[in-house]
Amino acid sequence: MNDVNLLQDDARLPRYRSSAAARMVNIPVATLRVWERRYQVVGPAQSASGQRLYSSQDVRRLVLIKQLVNRGHGIGMLARMETPQLQDLFDEAREVDQTLAPGERGRPVPRA
């Protein structure tokens, strides 16, 4: 597929404003803006008027980052990772959760 086709495909993708993207990820818009400014977690397109427009891929990445932050991972580390790496990290965490007994989930791991 050439660059022209990629641009046309991208133009057909849904785009969400900051407020809608933040709602979908379940974070405040202010947090979304901080993550963008400080950590460059996503690079949304902008409309002619300067409104940030998030793609479905941007929202998916933000959801993964939020879920991993909720599990205790640092935003600075996560922001540097590619989306497939984030997905792998999330999948690994989910596998660990499934192998733990219900009473052990969420407990800190004892250190030697």
Side-chain angles (χ1 to χ4, degrees):
M1 187 180 287
N2 63 32
D3 290 340
V4 173
N5 287 342
L6 287 175
L7 290 174
Q8 288 172 345
D9 287 347
D10 191 50
R12 286 188 289 240
L13 293 175
R15 297 288 178 175
Y16 308 97
R17 292 178 152 187
S18 298
S19 59
R23 243 187 340 269
M24 292 165 69
V25 179
N26 198 25
I27 60 174
V29 173
T31 299
L32 177 57
R33 290 187 179 139
V34 167
W35 283 5
E36 278 184 49
R37 187 176 58 249
R38 264 190 217 161
Y39 305 107
Q40 294 82 42
V41 293
V42 291
Q46 287 192 337
S47 69
S49 63
Q51 176 74 40
R52 290 180 188 94
L53 299 172
Y54 298 84
S55 68
S56 297
Q57 290 84 2
D58 290 335
V59 172
R60 177 176 170 259
R61 177 176 173 77
L62 289 166
V63 166
L64 284 168
I65 289 172
K66 180 181 185 282
Q67 289 173 334
L68 290 164
V69 164
N70 288 350
R71 290 176 172 274
H73 294 278
I75 183 69
M77 176 199 72
L78 298 172
R80 293 187 300 265
M81 298 174 76
E82 298 293 327
T83 303
Q85 292 174 300
L86 293 170
Q87 184 67 57
D88 289 344
L89 186 59
F90 179 75
D91 291 344
E92 287 173 21
R94 213 169 53 197
E95 285 177 28
V96 168
D97 281 352
Q98 290 172 352
T99 60
L100 292 175
E104 295 176 336
R105 290 184 186 145
R107 282 194 196 160
V109 176
R111 296 183 185 220

